[in-house]
Amino acid sequence: MNKTQAEKQKKVLFKKNQPACDQMGKQEKKAAFTLGDSYKDFLDAAKTEREAANKIVAQAMDKGFVDIDKLLNKKTIKSKPQKVFRLFKDKTVALAVLGSQKLSAGTHIIASHIDSPRLDLKQNPVYEDLGISLMKTHYYGGIRKYHWLSIPLALHGSIIKANGKKIDITIGEAPEDPVFTVTDLLPHLAGKLQEGKKISEVFDGEKLNLIVGSLPLGNDSVKERFKLGVLHLLHDQYGIIEEDFISAEIEAVPAGKARDVGFDRSMIGSYGQDDRICAFTSCQALFETQSPEKTAIALFFDKEEIGSEGNNGAKSNFLENFLADLLFLNKEPADNRNLRQTLINSQCLSADVNAAMDPDFKEVHEKSNAPKLGFGICLTKFTGVGGKSGSNDASAEFMGYIRSLFNRNKIAWQTGELGKIDQGGGGTVAKFLAQFGMDVLDCGPAILSMHSPFEVAGKTDVYMTYKGYKAFYNDQGNQAG
Ligand code: MN
Ligand code: MN
């Protein structure tokens, strides 16, 4: 075989490994940048799970989605609704576009999460030390503690006062707002204290305290007058007292807006892209899904970063409850057996990010199977730790279906493995949805600096993720499965 023939064979036999931009025309490249702009707006408006949930619901209502709980409270339901949503306890959302087929024939679900790692205020946060007012935090999710030192932080959250009234706060995002920060040790004095220590020992969770003020109230005969200074201001502004922090959820998150990254503006840098990148893209995909065959559902869970626990996490009964109500609204039997059939016949993309191979840390990846930034949406067959422990491990059949669906729809895709074997690992909501019997595949973009205050995503990947999700919603499903 000569060189030309061999090259020809190579084209036939080798798997394509092309950046997404090489698979896109001029129009699509432009569309990717336009979508990137809406995505940045979403990131700025949705820095916490509550903000994300409410933003998603507001957008859905704009698009004509109806609150399922309002419908269920009506005495008679005149006609079958086409588009419904549920906001559950301000933190979990489901959106559905009803299909032409019965629900029990199976639905198409895309499940993402809208919580991100951060610093939560403790329930007794305010104290003073050396003339400085501070607030104690307890970190949430997997953070590298040093990422949170010496950067401007904003406070977002809700406070339930003694009278039950809820106050929402956002401080540190408007240009004129003050910000907060956790201090770091100067290099001049870090030597003896930190040298030779393991990174896990150098940074102490109890030292992630926010600086929140330095002016006292009253003269020096008043004890704790610096703490009093801050509480006085908070009382003036919000009418809250110290005990109100007991019933508050206030999150310190990196202050500032999402930005374009690179001379060519081809990337987006922002906090919270894990996993609001999938929340945003699945939302957009669903909004553009009109009269599908299979009912199209987007789920947005809280608590993924701490193991999908609680009544807002993927381990809860949220999906079953929602589907039972959908069956009822769709005038199908809503009994347990039909609900089980609906779940078993459904197919699901667990929409979460993967770790793109980092040019500076290639050694933690296995390059034949690691995803790359800008190479399209990843099909991640398995996640987990060690011998795939804790992983959903999607079936070859379901992988085959999604692969051919994406090929048919010209979606740039790649495979993704989260790091080298035994390097570490992680999980997603996939396994909690798979327990219902449905096929589930982890499928989302790969990003750099995951779980940092400034995660980086490629605009073409955002676009291909949206396009892939849209193709899934608009397909009639895996016939072979
Ligand atoms: Mn995630
Ligand atoms: Mn995560």
Side-chain angles (χ1 to χ4, degrees), residues 100-142:
S100 53
Q101 294 179 5
K102 283 198 297 192
L103 281 160
S104 53
T107 66
H108 273 187
I109 299 170
I110 300 182
S112 62
H113 67 90
I114 49 177
D115 61 320
S116 292
R118 69 210 180 220
L119 306 181
D120 286 338
L121 290 195
K122 290 196 187 191
Q123 270 27 74
N124 276 322
V126 195
Y127 71 105
E128 67 169 61
D129 202 356
L130 302 171
I132 297 172
S133 321
L134 299 112
M135 283 184 171
K136 295 216 131 291
T137 69
H138 194 136
Y139 67 93
Y140 171 99

Side-chain angles (χ1 to χ4, degrees), residues 409-438:
N409 288 279
K410 304 207 168 5
I411 315 290
W413 60 270
Q414 57 182 332
T415 51
E417 185 178 17
L418 185 64
K420 267 184 183 165
I421 295 169
D422 296 334
Q423 188 76 45
T428 63
V429 299
K431 63 175 177 177
F432 307 117
L433 296 165
Q435 66 192 4
F436 295 118
M438 65 182 74

Side-chain angles (χ1 to χ4, degrees), residues 439-458:
D439 279 318
V440 185
L441 170 63
D442 278 298
C443 186
I447 62 173
L448 291 168
S449 299
M450 192 200 291
H451 280 212
S452 83
F454 198 70
E455 301 172 312
V456 177

